[in-house]
């Protein structure tokens, strides 16, 4: 179920059922696991039984799991797989191209309005999959227009989902309030990152970010930024 908006008179919610979930979840190649026992991470942090995390990889110290922060647990920790990644052969290139085309059509419509509308938060979690059937008329829909703005956009209007933000949007924090620092073309950059995700099935920059900027301080892996797709701290 996807929330589109809220009507005040009468008070009601505008929703749509999208059975395929979001694009990021569809492309994710990492298995999701549930801990079958409580465990203490290599940094001494207790993780409770029943917690669901994403398997990121394996290091010499143990298995790397992620749920916001990343944790290292012993390789022999008891866990069960609750979600397995979709195989590449079940995501043929024809389907991926159709998904990309649906997103492009949505953005073309928004940018073709007068004045143009900038989505301002185009990213894979905000693209919902309506069908994986190659014969379907529509395969993907762009959602979440909470930050959408008509041109021009004040420089401060942004959500720090940094993996998808154009450089000029990030630089907008140094621009005086009410001075336009970017326009609908910033969505084109975000669309390019979505195309990267569709091709590679990876979240852009995230692994490099962890390696370069996140350190272990004896409690957890930390950095000045939240290492999540939800944005910056």
């Amino acid at each position: 179920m996807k929330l589109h908006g809220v009507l005040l008179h009468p008070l009601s919610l505008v929703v749509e059922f999208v059975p395929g979930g979001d694009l990021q979840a569809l492309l994710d190649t990492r298995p999701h696991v549930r801990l079958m026992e409580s465990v203490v991470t290599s940094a001494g942090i207790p993780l409770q039984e029943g917690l669901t995390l994403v398997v990121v990889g394996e290091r010499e110290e143990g298995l790397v799991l992620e749920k916001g922060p990343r944790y290292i647990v012993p390789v022999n920790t008891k866990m069960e797989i609750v979600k397995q990644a979709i195989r590449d052969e079940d995501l043929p290139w024809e389907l991926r191209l159709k998904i990309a085309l649906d997103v492009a059509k949505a953005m073309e419509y928004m940018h073709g309005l007068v004045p143009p509308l900038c989505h301002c938060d185009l990213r894979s979690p905000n693209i919902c999959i309506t069908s994986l059937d190659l014969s379907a008329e529509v395969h993907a829909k762009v959602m979440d227009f909470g930050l959408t703005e008509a041109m021009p956009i004040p420089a401060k209007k942004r959500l720090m989902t940094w993996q998808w933000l154009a450089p000029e949007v990030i630089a907008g924090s140094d621009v005086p309030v009410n001075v336009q620092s970017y326009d609908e073309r910033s969505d084109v950059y975000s669309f390019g990152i979505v195309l990267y995700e569709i091709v590679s099935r990876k979240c852009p920059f995230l692994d490099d970010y962890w390696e370069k900027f996140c350190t272990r301080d004896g409690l957890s892996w930390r950095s000045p930024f939240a290492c999540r797709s939800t944005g910056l701290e």
Side-chain angles (χ1 to χ4, degrees), residues 154-156 158 166-177 179 181-182:
K156 298 296 181 181
R158 61 178 180 158
E168 63 268 24
V169 180
I170 296 176
S173 58
D174 299 322
V175 178
V177 178
V179 174
S181 64
Y182 60 96

Side-chain angles (χ1 to χ4, degrees), residues 2 22-25 123-128 143 164 197 229:
K2 183 71 177 183
D22 64 70
L23 179 60
Q24 186 179 60
R123 52 195 175 101
S124 53
N126 288 338
I127 298 170
C128 288
M143 303 291 185
W164 294 270
E197 293 180 89
S229 61

